[in-house]
Amino acid sequence: MTGGFKKTRKAPRRISLIVEEVFSGLGMDDAREQYRALHLWREIVGETIAAETVVERLSDGQLFIRVKNSVWRMELNFRKKELAGKINSFLGKEAVREIVFR
């Protein structure tokens, strides 16, 4: 006798999809997007600029970046729309409306 239970195998799923579902189920979509935006900074700007900056936080669409000197701050201010666009492209949504360099 088989006992009436039939085992079925589910197709394997990527862990990233499972994590996204958990975050979504817990109502933590915004926190996940903030985390991703903060960690994309180095990938987007490259090692040279990343070495001169520190990502502080993302709050209400504003990404706050501490810059080690005024020369880099001025250069990055000229490129802020471009950088925000790149971050949003990586995220697939408009999570960063403004970048504030300090």
Side-chain angles (χ1 to χ4, degrees):
M1 245 164 126
T2 62
F5 290 106
K6 190 175 189 181
K7 288 189 176 185
T8 59
R9 286 189 166 218
K10 291 185 177 182
R13 295 179 28 195
R14 291 182 38 203
I15 190 73
S16 61
L17 294 175
I18 295 169
V19 169
E20 284 185 28
E21 288 176 8
V22 169
F23 273 103
S24 191
L26 294 172
M28 297 178 65
D29 288 326
D30 288 341
R32 181 176 47 87
E33 290 304 320
Q34 289 178 10
Y35 176 82
R36 287 183 63 213
L38 297 177
H39 285 86
L40 286 174
W41 181 252
R42 180 173 297 280
E43 185 177 340
I44 289 170
V45 300
E47 294 298 321
T48 303
I49 293 174
E52 300 297 325
T53 58
V54 177
V55 179
E56 292 182 333
R57 71 181 188 280
L58 175 64
S59 177
D60 296 322
Q62 291 184 310
L63 179 60
F64 293 88
I65 308 287
R66 180 151 321 272
V67 184
K68 292 182 180 177
N69 66 57
S70 61
V71 175
W72 274 109
R73 185 171 42 251
M74 184 177 292
E75 172 64 27
L76 293 172
N77 269 312
F78 287 123
R79 299 177 58 192
K80 68 169 60 176
K81 286 188 182 205
E82 169 195 347
L83 295 171
K86 284 184 177 183
I87 292 171
N88 291 332
S89 290
F90 272 78
L91 294 175
K93 70 182 228 178
E94 189 177 340
V96 177
R97 290 188 313 275
E98 179 183 6
I99 300 177
V100 178
F101 296 106
R102 313 194 225 190

